[in-house]
Amino acid sequence: MKRRAFLISTAGSVAGMMLLPRMSFAAEGQIDWYTASDSNILDFWTNTIKPAFEAAHSGVKLNLVDAGDNAGIQSIAERAIAAMQTNADPQADYFEHADPRLPKGAIEAGLYVNMKDAGLSNYAKVNPLAIDSDYSLPYRGSQVLLAYDTTKLPPADVPKTWDELVTWIKANPGQFVYNRPDKGGSGGNFVRRAIHQVNGLDPKAFTVGNYTEAFGNEALGKAWDLLKDIAPALYDGGAYSSGNTQSIQLLAQGVVTMTPVWSDQVLQAISEGVLPETTGMVQLRDLALCGGFSRAVVLSNGKNRDAALKLADFILTEDIQSAILTELGGFPGVSWDYVSAELREKFADIIPTTIPTFPAGAWEAAVNDGWYRNVAPNIDRKS
């Protein structure tokens, strides 16, 4: 599912094959590029990456296509696998974000290029924390962090560990809020950070396949106790916002001093004047809040594969990676050493030393259900 960006309105779309572009033979020198990401990502590619790449690569054009959603991407990938059997044109060269493990067996079938071995001149710059597979290329990320009002909380006093954060919340009742975990990833990942805290700060303890009711009750139960303990000190004596956007609005209105936010949403909110320039940002240093990366793939049987690999290399350049920070409000896919010194200094407090993740599937359902049942039993989940 797409995760919408702050203040970006996306049009509704129909999933799957209905959104596939009309089939046509690939043009020489035209990279057929597809995305299932939000409209702000397509806008960024249209307005920033496409003109810069085409100017640097004479004779190569980018054909940017909205695939609708992940089902649309998977349908195109399935078409490309089928095309491998007949050496036909898959009319696809590049997916802006995709899991190379899908469709099942795609890697084994040789559908995607091994990016590690593709000879990209900039591959060594990729942040090792972001690498998930040799067959995909992390180029932008987003992570939940803490945004705060520096006019009320001086940066020197901001909490930088979980224990410091809990102490601050209790010492400043009503000044912290997070959203219900099923209503937005900022609050959801704050809850997951609590789960990590009471389970040895070990994100690897949780995998897609290791959920059982017994383990879930044990691991999550300790987190419910922690979150119930801080609840009376939250905004309005134990209230929760309705989503990512409302948390930012409460901070903008000065109602609260601190709230968890997605990195791209808060950077965009500051750049658009929704939040003031006095908004501070910080990441916990003992273990960061969860985040993730968008990872591109190149199709091995694409008719313009070589040009697509040039594009993959291009998006790792300093200019594009800096634009991801300054224009898109995302995190770079390269190590921060390859971002300009000015930007490294500006974002010093949010450069992550870890990028924890948390599995979906049965764990996601258990987290959401358990939070409502144990932490906020008086809240109507449907409201």
Side-chain angles (χ1 to χ4, degrees):
M1 179 180 295
K2 298 182 183 182
R3 188 179 65 75
R4 57 132 191 91
F6 185 64
L7 292 182
I8 295 295
S9 175
T10 56
S13 59
V14 181
M17 287 295 292
M18 292 182 66
L19 279 171
L20 292 182
R22 184 173 297 171
M23 295 180 68
S24 60
F25 292 105
E28 187 70 27
Q30 174 179 287
I31 301 170
D32 289 324
W33 173 104
Y34 296 87
T35 186
S37 298
D38 286 308
S39 61
N40 64 320
I41 302 302
L42 183 55
D43 289 344
F44 177 69
W45 276 81
T46 300
N47 299 323
T48 300
I49 297 182
K50 175 180 167 68
F53 177 75
E54 291 179 352
H57 297 83
S58 178
V60 180
K61 296 295 182 182
L62 261 177
N63 177 36
L64 304 178
V65 182
D66 185 353
D69 58 12
N70 287 331
I73 291 288
Q74 293 310 306
S75 294
I76 299 168
E78 289 165 359
R79 184 180 74 194
I81 290 178
M84 296 180 74
Q85 311 307 314
T86 58
N87 199 31
D89 179 2
Q91 296 103 41
D93 302 294
Y94 192 106
F95 293 159
E96 182 266 333
H97 171 57
D99 185 343
R101 301 171 186 84
L102 300 173
K104 186 176 181 180
I107 291 177
E108 292 77 8
L111 179 62
Y112 300 119
V113 173
N114 184 318
M115 306 302 282
K116 181 180 179 181
D117 296 337
L120 304 184
S121 62
N122 291 312
Y123 186 84
K125 300 177 182 178
V126 173
N127 189 336
L129 296 173
I131 295 174
D132 176 65
S133 166
D134 290 346
Y135 294 85
S136 61
L137 185 72
Y139 85 97
R140 63 177 176 89
S142 185
Q143 192 164 10
V144 174
L145 47 83
L146 300 172
Y148 64 98
D149 184 345
T150 61
T151 66
K152 297 179 181 178
L153 176 61
D157 298 332
V158 70
K160 294 186 177 180
T161 68
W162 179 268
D163 288 340
E164 290 176 0
L165 176 60
V166 169
T167 298
W168 184 88
I169 292 171
K170 290 182 176 181
N172 296 272
Q175 293 303 303
F176 186 89
V177 70
Y178 68 93
N179 65 258
R180 290 182 261 170
D182 62 334
K183 302 299 184 182
S186 59
N189 283 329
F190 176 78
V191 170
R192 285 158 176 79
R193 179 59 183 81
I195 295 169
H196 286 152
Q197 182 68 22
V198 295
N199 286 278
L201 297 176
D202 183 14
K204 293 181 180 179
F206 302 91
T207 66
V208 171
N210 77 346
Y211 175 81
T212 65
E213 185 175 357
F215 180 35
N217 289 340
E218 175 191 358
L220 302 183
K222 295 179 288 185
W224 306 149
D225 291 339
L226 190 159
L227 293 170
K228 284 189 291 186
D229 181 56
I230 66 171
L234 298 178
Y235 165 65
D236 200 23
Y240 305 91
S241 68
S242 61
N244 302 320
T245 299
Q246 191 182 45
S247 292
I248 289 179
Q249 290 171 339
L250 290 171
L251 182 63
Q253 294 163 3
V255 177
V256 297
T257 300
M258 180 183 290
T259 187
V261 293
W262 280 107
S263 56
D264 57 342
Q265 291 185 355
V266 69
L267 290 171
Q268 187 175 2
I270 293 171
S271 69
E272 294 180 354
V274 176
L275 286 170
E277 291 290 338
T278 52
T279 302
M281 295 171 285
V282 69
Q283 184 58 268
L284 297 183
R285 293 304 178 191
D286 48 350
L287 181 69
L289 284 85
C290 288
F293 282 84
S294 291
R295 300 175 174 91
V297 299
V298 172
L299 282 72
S300 63
N301 60 334
K303 295 303 180 182
N304 292 289
R305 179 190 62 188
D306 291 345
L309 287 171
K310 291 180 180 178
L311 174 62
D313 208 30
F314 183 77
I315 63 174
L316 298 178
T317 60
E318 182 175 327
D319 285 348
I320 298 301
Q321 290 294 300
S322 295
I324 286 171
L325 264 167
T326 59
E327 297 180 27
L328 188 61
F331 274 10
V334 299
S335 295
W336 285 78
D337 290 343
Y338 298 103
V339 175
S340 71
E342 179 184 358
L343 289 176
R344 285 202 308 272
E345 181 179 356
K346 180 177 180 180
F347 296 107
D349 281 344
I350 61 173
I351 296 175
T353 55
T354 57
I355 306 175
T357 58
F358 199 92
W363 278 112
E364 182 174 11
V367 168
N368 292 336
D369 294 345
W371 184 87
Y372 277 100
R373 189 170 56 250
N374 295 281
V375 180
N378 296 324
I379 292 181
D380 182 0
R381 189 168 183 174
K382 296 179 182 180
S383 63

